[in-house]
Amino acid sequence: MAVLDDPFADPGLPPHEHRRQDIDERAAKRSERTVALLFTVSMLATIGFIVAYVAIPIDRIVYIWPIGHISGLNFALGTTLGTALFCIGAGAIHWARTLMSDEERSEERHAVAAAPEVKAQVLEEFRKGAEESGIGRRKLVRNTMLGAMALVPLSGVVLLRDLGPLPEDKLRKTAWREGSVIVNENTGEPLRPEDITVGSLTQAMPEELDHHDHDFHAEIAKAAVMLVRLEPEDIKDPRSAEWGHEGILCFSKICTHIGCPATLYEQQTHHALCPCHQSTFDLSDGARVLFGPAGHPLPQLRITVNDDGYLTALGDFEEPPGPSFWERG
């Protein structure tokens, strides 16, 4: 019986053909310079991205043929970032195709768990592959690649600026000024000392704020206060008593945890409770924190009475109201 040839015989690998760069060092140097040029262009494009982001106005419209009228900023950012990423990829591909080893080898499959001698062989081949890649010998390619890879992430870092404008010192200042009349937040009427009874809590704001202003909600979020009147002998903190008027104390009502209104008032204990996370403040003792996650007392506003008999502020809070923020301190 005739034995048929194996129809699936292993054809083997074609003989390895050396590239021009493998036998001509000048050709290898040209490829090395090409790769370095691509990485350098990537670095320049990343720098161009940052410059365009800073220098080009967001409302600048330009005409680009054949696209038409488009945003100059978007076009510049897209072009520079695309160039930076393309040149990194093109440089890596050109490096691999012309300078790294391209010899194909076949090995028999083996078990997943390798023997110690196999592990040693793999590490040796890795070392040999790294050596054949030229990353240690071709310093120009290596250094420009590292430069391009280090710079291109800056594009994403720069874009973080679009999270919003920097707060600067806006979080430290409120609408309260020396002479600001304190008005009832609900009625808008100026408050006199006789309007605040012992044991009561009144929510208030500066007279300058108008509900129709476009920035009203941003300002009231910092300037909202609450007025409480205690018997003078019940006030434990001497400075707090001095900053008040005839037992009337004025505190920010914005909780120093995450900014909820801490206006649940317990008359007998003089405690103000925040309903969100149960931070508790002792208004008779400088609004110090008794319980909960709040980190510091409610800021107190110094108050007095003007010539017309209305309660007024003697200035802004001495510390930023509300929760802590990253640039506070």
Side-chain angles (χ1 to χ4, degrees), residues 14 32 129 148 193 224 228:
E32 182 179 358
V228 293

Side-chain angles (χ1 to χ4, degrees), residues 38 41-42 45 78-88:
L38 288 168
V41 171
S42 174
T79 301
T80 52
L81 183 58
T83 301
L85 296 176
F86 173 80
C87 287
I88 287 179

Side-chain angles (χ1 to χ4, degrees), residues 151-218:
L151 280 180
V152 76
L154 291 179
S155 304
V157 173
V158 170
L159 291 178
L160 294 177
R161 180 64 179 80
D162 273 347
L163 290 175
L166 295 175
E168 299 174 347
D169 63 348
K170 296 176 183 176
L171 298 178
R172 298 182 178 275
K173 297 179 180 179
T174 73
W176 291 106
R177 303 290 183 269
E178 184 177 0
S180 294
V181 177
I182 304 174
V183 301
N184 188 298
E185 187 176 333
N186 297 317
T187 65
E189 296 296 324
L191 292 168
R192 297 178 181 272
E194 54 267 28
D195 296 330
I196 313 297
T197 59
V198 175
S200 67
L201 181 143
T202 303
Q203 301 186 46
M205 67 180 189
E207 186 180 37
E208 292 81 3
L209 289 186
D210 188 337
H211 288 80
H212 299 92
D213 292 340
H214 73 282
D215 60 346
F216 172 77
H217 291 93

Side-chain angles (χ1 to χ4, degrees), residues 31 37 40 58 83 95 109 160 163 179 253 255 290 294 318:
S31 294
L37 176 62
T40 302
I58 194 172
T83 301
W95 183 8
R109 290 191 175 186
L160 294 177
L163 290 175
K253 76 174 188 180
C255 180
L290 297 175
E318 285 199 343

Side-chain angles (χ1 to χ4, degrees), residues 10 105-111 118 121:
D10 185 358
R105 300 174 183 175
S106 61
E107 294 182 354
E108 295 295 331
R109 290 191 175 186
H110 52 75
V118 175
Q121 180 184 355

